Amino acid sequence: MRSPCRVLGLIVTVVAPALAPALVPPVSAQTYPSATDPRSNLKPGRFDAGIATSNMRLVSFSHKPPQFDTARGLTFINSDLAFGTHYVYQGNFAGFTVWDVSNPAQPVIASVMECITSQGDPSIVGNLLFISAEGAGNRNDCAKGGVQDPKDHMTGVRIFDVSDPRAPKLIKNVQTCKGSHTHTVIPSPTDPNIVYIYVSGQQTARPATELAGCKNGTDPADPTNSLYQLDIIKVPLDHPEQAAVIPGARIFTGLEVTPDCATFCAPAETRRPPRRPGGGNPGDSTVAEALLHTGPHNCHDVTAYPALHLLAAACSSHAILVDISNPEKPVRLAAITDTNNFQSRHTAGFSNDGTKTLWTDEWGGGTGPMCQAGSIMELGGNTIITLSPDHRKMTQHAYFKLPSAQTAQENCVSHNGGLIPVPGRDLYVQGWYQGGVDVMDFTDADHPVEIAYFDRGPIDAPGDTSNASGRSRYTIGGSWGAYYWNGMIYSSELDRGFDVLELTPGPQLSANEIAAAKLVTLKEYNPQSQPKLVWPPAFVVVRAYLDQLVRNEGLAADRTSAVAAALDAAEKKSGAARAAALTALARQVDGYQRGAKDTARVRMMSGAIRQLASASK
Amino acid sequence: MTTTRVAGALVLFALLLGGPSRARGQGGGMTGMSGMDMGREIVIPPGAPYTKADVEFMQGMIAHHAQAIVMSRMAASHGANPQVLKLSNKIDQSQVPEIRIMQAWLQRNNQFAPDTSSWHHVTMSGMLTAAQLTELDAARGVDFDRAYLRLMIQHHAGALKMVDDLFNTPLAGQEVDVNVFANDVVTAQTAEIGIMQRLYKELPAQ
């Protein structure tokens, strides 16, 4: 059998001169604090591990369903999450679980779908659940036993009908050339019946003998070359069975550098003539080809911000910004690399205003313990990159890594997450595998800081060599992804199950900020398709800004006190009287802008007061 | 080159990894291993989701990684430039835990798990010959940078070939852990080859 999982083309950190900054300013990385962190030395254990939290509390923990709790290694690990109505869809390498979270303190399993599908990343659109399929052992019929015949191989995106969450039905397997490690839903800007699925594959294209039309070419500009493209699936929502692959996004063309290493790069045994079309051993030339063609051609993950028509594509050596105004014809706007060997290769996210992006580096692939005391701080974390207003320039600012050293027993690296809708701040909650769940504040692109966390001790004790229970002494676990959705943080625990967390107030996050975040509700949430966050007019929104101005001393203390008192007084009024009081307050706050240290935030606060005044009439 | 120096680095390395693996059936040691042959028969239990090629891949890649770590740990004492040192440190820190992942997988499946000394006895694609290792160990400063980058690119390309060979073997590479690991090797090492090509180009002309 010819597996599709062939050698990836070579990826380099050299960009075309037009894209390369002439001089990259130094980007700072923090060091681990020398003082003891509450997360250090937590008691190990699968279900009785010690827990440390900051500004967060565990609302509930639910065990994995028994169907997925039967094996060691990665076969049955949980993967990513998607959110719709009152359900959370949790991917698993062997299927998915549908959780009813009507009561987040007590999630209930609506159904467990057994279907071998690594890695199983989900997205939900109405009644359709999309699941990424990549593994070499995934079959069309979901069954165990591996792929004996290439025609049984499923790599691409599965579509399930979940109109009855208790009985999901597989309605279509959409095969793609490079498989689907992850995928991203992008709604058509013009047709509400159409969504596009951008498919990120991690592999080279399958041979045409396995899937017609696939081609591993060497010319990135060749439109028939399936290697140098993001695959795209077009889905008519009323006829999902007609979902089909359309020509892919050619966002890599021009990132290729002129190879000059043919004389020294390839070991002699791999220096073979290119494969003849339609013949020869398919393995003969792959490595040589990879060494000669050195541009990126795969993304690990792409994050869309449909409201801004932007896509942040995390493509190994390159962080790529793409215009998706026409999702069928995406256009690359900018690309950037890193001089510290950071591979912007995993996931990206935007600030709500779209001026900043963050990128993660999954150093060690998620299975390595890359947050130990001696681990390189520039690798395996996040980096913050700002966008110029015309989106043609990306500027790297700082690195952020989980500021608590983890043990050698804990696989740890930055992983998936999403924004927390606190107005006026850029807060990103994410899973760090066994590093736990962490909230990073990247409002200041040059100084991202941690403001909340949840962490368990390692699953395995150090030196636990016992195989008696059938468990490895190095069990892979922790949070695959952690996301804020309608007031709670949901975290997918690879090995243990499903966590629900809630933010709690502290010096770095006030009760008003938490309450303001809870006002933003999303009926559907696919984190890789980032929604624009909008806050309704509310006193807590104004008070959230006010708390921030108190915290950062962005406005003089007598003035913040005056605003607080005026807000209290206005809240006691109603109707036109309240509107009049708020309008007067807004004017007063406008006057505070001059001389304030944080003018922008004062302006945001007066805007929020005006909104509230309008809503009070 | 001094064999002692390499051996010294290896002892330290073995200590860092917690010593030789405690694999079932390891018995009296590593003598008799050569090439892909780990010196013991590979028995695949009926119904296992993996193949002999998967076991050989995991065993062979331990030796392959172990040699890359020995090469990388020369950088600090051989006058590598800061960029090369940074990259060698990354390769070192990346591949140490990967060896542990491979050993854990082999142990979990009751297969022989080689330890980090296996690179002395096992020759996998792209691995340095004794002469190449001598050349690397004798080099200093920019000569070391040049030799390290050239030889590590060769070494990484060999790892890519090992993955390619694995996936070209019927039914191999499907077991989930092996599949994920092999794909991770490709992702990490292709990117590193790119970095090494850039660093090589930036070296002063000979």
Side-chain angles (χ1 to χ4, degrees), chain B residues 25-43:
Chain B
Q26 185 172 333
M30 308 290 294
T31 49
M33 288 172 42
S34 66
M36 285 284 284
D37 180 8
M38 290 287 166
R40 33 205 99 215
E41 195 187 349
I42 295 172
V43 179

PDB file of all heavy atoms in Angstrom, chain B residues 25-43:
ATOM      1  N   GLY B  25      13.464  -8.098  28.332  1.00  0.00           N
ATOM      2  CA  GLY B  25      14.245  -8.894  27.409  1.00  0.00           C
ATOM      3  C   GLY B  25      15.559  -8.263  27.007  1.00  0.00           C
ATOM      4  O   GLY B  25      16.222  -8.736  26.124  1.00  0.00           O
ATOM      5  N   GLN B  26      15.915  -7.190  27.668  1.00  0.00           N
ATOM      6  CA  GLN B  26      17.165  -6.559  27.287  1.00  0.00           C
ATOM      7  C   GLN B  26      18.343  -7.467  27.634  1.00  0.00           C
ATOM      8  O   GLN B  26      19.331  -7.509  26.932  1.00  0.00           O
ATOM      9  CB  GLN B  26      17.313  -5.212  27.995  1.00  0.00           C
ATOM     10  CG  GLN B  26      18.553  -4.469  27.534  1.00  0.00           C
ATOM     11  CD  GLN B  26      18.590  -3.072  28.096  1.00  0.00           C
ATOM     12  OE1 GLN B  26      17.561  -2.488  28.390  1.00  0.00           O
ATOM     13  NE2 GLN B  26      19.774  -2.543  28.253  1.00  0.00           N
ATOM     14  N   GLY B  27      18.189  -8.175  28.696  1.00  0.00           N
ATOM     15  CA  GLY B  27      19.149  -9.198  29.055  1.00  0.00           C
ATOM     16  C   GLY B  27      20.551  -8.666  29.219  1.00  0.00           C
ATOM     17  O   GLY B  27      20.768  -7.657  29.879  1.00  0.00           O
ATOM     18  N   GLY B  28      21.501  -9.340  28.588  1.00  0.00           N
ATOM     19  CA  GLY B  28      22.906  -9.068  28.855  1.00  0.00           C
ATOM     20  C   GLY B  28      23.526  -7.909  28.132  1.00  0.00           C
ATOM     21  O   GLY B  28      24.729  -7.776  28.163  1.00  0.00           O
ATOM     22  N   GLY B  29      22.778  -7.108  27.453  1.00  0.00           N
ATOM     23  CA  GLY B  29      23.406  -5.926  26.869  1.00  0.00           C
ATOM     24  C   GLY B  29      23.209  -5.825  25.387  1.00  0.00           C
ATOM     25  O   GLY B  29      22.325  -6.443  24.815  1.00  0.00           O
ATOM     26  N   MET B  30      24.064  -5.014  24.784  1.00  0.00           N
ATOM     27  CA  MET B  30      23.801  -4.569  23.433  1.00  0.00           C
ATOM     28  C   MET B  30      24.693  -5.239  22.401  1.00  0.00           C
ATOM     29  O   MET B  30      24.659  -4.879  21.250  1.00  0.00           O
ATOM     30  CB  MET B  30      24.041  -3.060  23.351  1.00  0.00           C
ATOM     31  CG  MET B  30      23.321  -2.260  24.399  1.00  0.00           C
ATOM     32  SD  MET B  30      21.560  -2.258  24.123  1.00  0.00           S
ATOM     33  CE  MET B  30      21.513  -1.344  22.585  1.00  0.00           C
ATOM     34  N   THR B  31      25.541  -6.166  22.831  1.00  0.00           N
ATOM     35  CA  THR B  31      26.480  -6.730  21.870  1.00  0.00           C
ATOM     36  C   THR B  31      25.745  -7.480  20.779  1.00  0.00           C
ATOM     37  O   THR B  31      24.684  -8.052  21.000  1.00  0.00           O
ATOM     38  CB  THR B  31      27.444  -7.710  22.571  1.00  0.00           C
ATOM     39  OG1 THR B  31      26.657  -8.592  23.357  1.00  0.00           O
ATOM     40  CG2 THR B  31      28.422  -6.970  23.436  1.00  0.00           C
ATOM     41  N   GLY B  32      26.360  -7.440  19.612  1.00  0.00           N
ATOM     42  CA  GLY B  32      25.799  -8.221  18.511  1.00  0.00           C
ATOM     43  C   GLY B  32      24.844  -7.432  17.636  1.00  0.00           C
ATOM     44  O   GLY B  32      24.354  -7.967  16.652  1.00  0.00           O
ATOM     45  N   MET B  33      24.581  -6.179  18.000  1.00  0.00           N
ATOM     46  CA  MET B  33      23.662  -5.416  17.155  1.00  0.00           C
ATOM     47  C   MET B  33      24.421  -4.805  15.993  1.00  0.00           C
ATOM     48  O   MET B  33      25.499  -4.296  16.143  1.00  0.00           O
ATOM     49  CB  MET B  33      23.016  -4.307  17.966  1.00  0.00           C
ATOM     50  CG  MET B  33      22.024  -4.839  18.942  1.00  0.00           C
ATOM     51  SD  MET B  33      21.453  -3.559  20.052  1.00  0.00           S
ATOM     52  CE  MET B  33      21.230  -2.210  18.940  1.00  0.00           C
ATOM     53  N   SER B  34      23.832  -4.823  14.847  1.00  0.00           N
ATOM     54  CA  SER B  34      24.431  -4.127  13.704  1.00  0.00           C
ATOM     55  C   SER B  34      23.354  -3.834  12.692  1.00  0.00           C
ATOM     56  O   SER B  34      22.405  -4.586  12.556  1.00  0.00           O
ATOM     57  CB  SER B  34      25.524  -4.984  13.073  1.00  0.00           C
ATOM     58  OG  SER B  34      24.949  -6.136  12.504  1.00  0.00           O
ATOM     59  N   GLY B  35      23.541  -2.712  11.977  1.00  0.00           N
ATOM     60  CA  GLY B  35      22.564  -2.314  10.970  1.00  0.00           C
ATOM     61  C   GLY B  35      21.195  -2.213  11.591  1.00  0.00           C
ATOM     62  O   GLY B  35      21.026  -1.760  12.712  1.00  0.00           O
ATOM     63  N   MET B  36      20.196  -2.634  10.867  1.00  0.00           N
ATOM     64  CA  MET B  36      18.846  -2.588  11.373  1.00  0.00           C
ATOM     65  C   MET B  36      18.600  -3.696  12.380  1.00  0.00           C
ATOM     66  O   MET B  36      17.601  -3.717  13.068  1.00  0.00           O
ATOM     67  CB  MET B  36      17.838  -2.741  10.227  1.00  0.00           C
ATOM     68  CG  MET B  36      17.689  -1.494   9.377  1.00  0.00           C
ATOM     69  SD  MET B  36      16.706  -0.239  10.232  1.00  0.00           S
ATOM     70  CE  MET B  36      15.065  -0.923  10.024  1.00  0.00           C
ATOM     71  N   ASP B  37      19.536  -4.641  12.410  1.00  0.00           N
ATOM     72  CA  ASP B  37      19.319  -5.805  13.254  1.00  0.00           C
ATOM     73  C   ASP B  37      19.674  -5.468  14.689  1.00  0.00           C
ATOM     74  O   ASP B  37      20.808  -5.162  15.009  1.00  0.00           O
ATOM     75  CB  ASP B  37      20.196  -6.949  12.740  1.00  0.00           C
ATOM     76  CG  ASP B  37      20.014  -8.196  13.583  1.00  0.00           C
ATOM     77  OD1 ASP B  37      19.107  -8.205  14.444  1.00  0.00           O
ATOM     78  OD2 ASP B  37      20.788  -9.135  13.382  1.00  0.00           O
ATOM     79  N   MET B  38      18.673  -5.452  15.538  1.00  0.00           N
ATOM     80  CA  MET B  38      18.912  -5.122  16.930  1.00  0.00           C
ATOM     81  C   MET B  38      19.377  -6.351  17.705  1.00  0.00           C
ATOM     82  O   MET B  38      19.485  -6.312  18.912  1.00  0.00           O
ATOM     83  CB  MET B  38      17.643  -4.566  17.570  1.00  0.00           C
ATOM     84  CG  MET B  38      17.285  -3.190  17.051  1.00  0.00           C
ATOM     85  SD  MET B  38      18.381  -1.925  17.697  1.00  0.00           S
ATOM     86  CE  MET B  38      17.988  -0.556  16.612  1.00  0.00           C
ATOM     87  N   GLY B  39      19.605  -7.438  17.008  1.00  0.00           N
ATOM     88  CA  GLY B  39      20.134  -8.606  17.668  1.00  0.00           C
ATOM     89  C   GLY B  39      19.080  -9.456  18.324  1.00  0.00           C
ATOM     90  O   GLY B  39      19.360 -10.401  19.031  1.00  0.00           O
ATOM     91  N   ARG B  40      17.847  -9.094  18.140  1.00  0.00           N
ATOM     92  CA  ARG B  40      16.796  -9.960  18.665  1.00  0.00           C
ATOM     93  C   ARG B  40      15.622  -9.973  17.702  1.00  0.00           C
ATOM     94  O   ARG B  40      15.334  -9.005  17.030  1.00  0.00           O
ATOM     95  CB  ARG B  40      16.344  -9.578  20.074  1.00  0.00           C
ATOM     96  CG  ARG B  40      16.394  -8.161  20.364  1.00  0.00           C
ATOM     97  CD  ARG B  40      16.533  -7.813  21.808  1.00  0.00           C
ATOM     98  NE  ARG B  40      17.919  -7.496  22.140  1.00  0.00           N
ATOM     99  CZ  ARG B  40      18.465  -7.797  23.278  1.00  0.00           C
ATOM    100  NH1 ARG B  40      17.791  -8.429  24.183  1.00  0.00           N
ATOM    101  NH2 ARG B  40      19.703  -7.473  23.536  1.00  0.00           N
ATOM    102  N   GLU B  41      14.999 -11.088  17.711  1.00  0.00           N
ATOM    103  CA  GLU B  41      13.894 -11.277  16.783  1.00  0.00           C
ATOM    104  C   GLU B  41      12.724 -10.393  17.204  1.00  0.00           C
ATOM    105  O   GLU B  41      12.423 -10.266  18.388  1.00  0.00           O
ATOM    106  CB  GLU B  41      13.466 -12.753  16.822  1.00  0.00           C
ATOM    107  CG  GLU B  41      12.594 -13.144  15.673  1.00  0.00           C
ATOM    108  CD  GLU B  41      12.058 -14.571  15.835  1.00  0.00           C
ATOM    109  OE1 GLU B  41      12.549 -15.304  16.731  1.00  0.00           O
ATOM    110  OE2 GLU B  41      11.145 -14.921  15.090  1.00  0.00           O
ATOM    111  N   ILE B  42      12.079  -9.796  16.222  1.00  0.00           N
ATOM    112  CA  ILE B  42      10.904  -8.988  16.509  1.00  0.00           C
ATOM    113  C   ILE B  42       9.663  -9.861  16.316  1.00  0.00           C
ATOM    114  O   ILE B  42       9.441 -10.407  15.236  1.00  0.00           O
ATOM    115  CB  ILE B  42      10.841  -7.758  15.583  1.00  0.00           C
ATOM    116  CG1 ILE B  42      12.029  -6.831  15.871  1.00  0.00           C
ATOM    117  CG2 ILE B  42       9.520  -7.014  15.760  1.00  0.00           C
ATOM    118  CD1 ILE B  42      12.173  -5.696  14.886  1.00  0.00           C
ATOM    119  N   VAL B  43       8.921 -10.003  17.378  1.00  0.00           N
ATOM    120  CA  VAL B  43       7.706 -10.808  17.294  1.00  0.00           C
ATOM    121  C   VAL B  43       6.506  -9.873  17.392  1.00  0.00           C
ATOM    122  O   VAL B  43       6.380  -9.109  18.359  1.00  0.00           O
ATOM    123  CB  VAL B  43       7.652 -11.861  18.426  1.00  0.00           C
ATOM    124  CG1 VAL B  43       6.356 -12.675  18.340  1.00  0.00           C
ATOM    125  CG2 VAL B  43       8.868 -12.762  18.366  1.00  0.00           C
TER     126      VAL B  43
END
